[in-house]
Every structure is written in C-alpha cells, then in structure tokens.
Amino acid sequence: MAWILNLETAGTNCSVSLYKAEELVAIREDNSPGYSHAELLHLFIEEVVAEAGIVLADLQAIAVSKGPGSYTGLRIGVASAKGLCFALDIPLISIPTLESLARQITPAEGLIVPLMDARRMEVYTAVFDSDHKQMAPTVAKVVEPDSFLELAQKGKVHFLGTGTSKCADVLEHPNFIFYPGLFPSSREMGKLAFDKYQRQAFENLAYFEPYYLKDFIAHGGKNPGK
C-alpha cells in the first residue's frame, strides 16, 4: 500500500502526518504563533517516518497544502516537499488548504465555510456543502456585517478556521454557527492525497507554485492551479 507524507504549513500550525493508504500512522504538530516551520518541519518528517518503522525511500508520494495562506509558510512547505520529491524521485500531490480544513467538521446539514485569516478584516474563504463538495470558488473577502448573509438564507452556515474569531465579532444571524479553535492540519490531508494518488493527479515538480490567491487577484494572468 502507498505510504504518503503530508505537509501542512499554510498557517501557524506546522503539521506533518504519515498515511499508509487511508490510514493515519503518525502525526506531529506545533501551532506556535511565531511560525516554527523552518525549525520543526524536517524534524517532524524524521519523527513520523521513524515512528512508522520505515525510511524516506519507502515513500510513494508527498502531499503538500497548497494554499491560500501565509506566504512564508507556504513557501517553506512547498520547497521542502519539492526537494524531497526530487531527491526520492516520487510524485508531488497538492491539497487545497480550505478543502482539507472544511473536512474537520461533518454537519448533518447546511454549508461549511472555512476561513483563513488574512490581513486586517480580510479572510480567504470558500463554500462547501455538508458532503464537502465545493460550491463556490476560493476568494479573498473583506468581512463586513452583511458578508455571507446570502448563504444564511439557505440554512445553517458553519464557520471554522483561523479567521473565525474576526468573523464572529462582526457577523450576526441565527443560522451562523462558529467553531473556534480549529486550524489547518495534515490530519485531514491523508484521504484526499490518497485519492489523488490513485488517480495519478500529480503536480509538475518543475513548475508547481503555492496558490497565494492575493498575488493572482492583484496581478492577474497567473494560473491558480488545479
């Protein structure tokens, strides 16, 4: 079965997990607010591989959270993933950060709206249904009192992620439900990565870049990727 290493560095959480197909075997995380990625990422990689009793050469693929999120965090994660893929001659898989974040909750009904904190009153966000199917594109959105009201007309709206606190202070509607304290983790990446591995939905190692979103909006013409 496929051994897949998953790296999540889009936010403050430095998270590394190792999956054997769809089974979580080992995970290491540190959500220090000062961004510990540069110091801890490779240590965590060594630890999860050792815990599983394998070596790096046993890996079949590496998955990385592609964004949107912190510019520095994404650069560190992608650079590390690409370096390992080149060295081991294995494929690179990218996982949209908001998609894996959305999978941290499984409401019976309603919409799931993951929120990644951006500067000031801005968030990176997308909309998913209760089966985690994306219903609206990923955007950078300024949070105002009337933000997301159109979604509330359709039923419950479940907010989670690092942008939740700023939204909870501004948004008011009986259908709005907030899940504080949740943030992107490599734990939710494993099954998504294995699905892509089976479909051979791999990235081009030479040209793959993180999905910064703001750069794409600001400058235009840049393909945000799959």
Side-chain angles (χ1 to χ4, degrees), residues 9-208:
T9 60
T12 54
N13 189 31
C14 179
S15 179
V16 177
S17 67
L18 182 63
Y19 270 74
K20 186 177 183 181
E22 295 185 294
E23 176 190 357
L24 175 64
V25 176
I27 185 169
R28 294 290 188 278
E29 296 186 301
D30 183 276
N31 194 35
S32 300
Y35 285 89
S36 58
H37 307 357
E39 295 80 14
L40 294 179
L41 185 61
H42 288 280
L43 173 63
F44 286 173
I45 292 171
E46 293 174 2
E47 289 182 351
V48 298
V49 168
E51 181 177 330
I54 65 172
V55 295
L56 287 175
D58 293 321
L59 297 175
Q60 272 77 53
I62 294 176
V64 66
S65 180
K66 76 172 190 177
S70 157
Y71 179 90
T72 301
L74 290 170
R75 293 298 297 178
I76 291 172
V78 169
S80 297
K82 291 176 71 172
L84 286 170
C85 286
F86 272 120
L88 299 170
D89 193 24
I90 57 177
L92 174 68
I93 298 168
S94 72
I95 303 297
T97 305
L98 294 175
E99 181 177 359
S100 61
L101 176 57
R103 289 175 177 263
Q104 291 195 19
I105 60 173
T106 54
E109 60 179 1
L111 298 172
I112 303 171
V113 180
L115 305 165
M116 285 291 290
D117 191 14
R119 294 181 179 179
R120 302 181 179 88
M121 287 305 296
E122 194 170 22
V123 294
Y124 303 127
T125 187
V127 180
F128 297 80
D129 66 15
S130 58
D131 293 322
H132 305 106
K133 178 181 178 182
Q134 189 162 347
M135 307 299 292
T138 301
V139 296
K141 189 178 186 73
V142 175
V143 180
E144 299 173 329
D146 61 349
S147 298
F148 305 104
L149 283 180
E150 73 280 3
L151 300 181
Q153 308 307 317
K154 304 175 183 178
K156 299 295 184 183
V157 183
H158 305 268
F159 295 99
L160 75 158
T162 58
T164 300
S165 59
K166 67 170 62 172
C167 287
D169 292 337
V170 176
L171 305 179
E172 294 185 5
H173 193 281
N175 280 340
F176 288 162
I177 303 170
F178 298 93
Y179 299 76
L182 299 180
F183 43 82
S185 168
S186 64
R187 184 183 299 273
E188 284 71 41
M189 293 174 62
K191 292 183 179 181
L192 293 170
F194 183 60
D195 175 68
K196 281 196 166 186
Y197 177 80
Q198 289 182 304
R199 294 187 285 112
Q200 297 188 20
F202 305 138
E203 299 294 342
N204 185 310
L205 269 181
Y207 297 104
F208 176 74

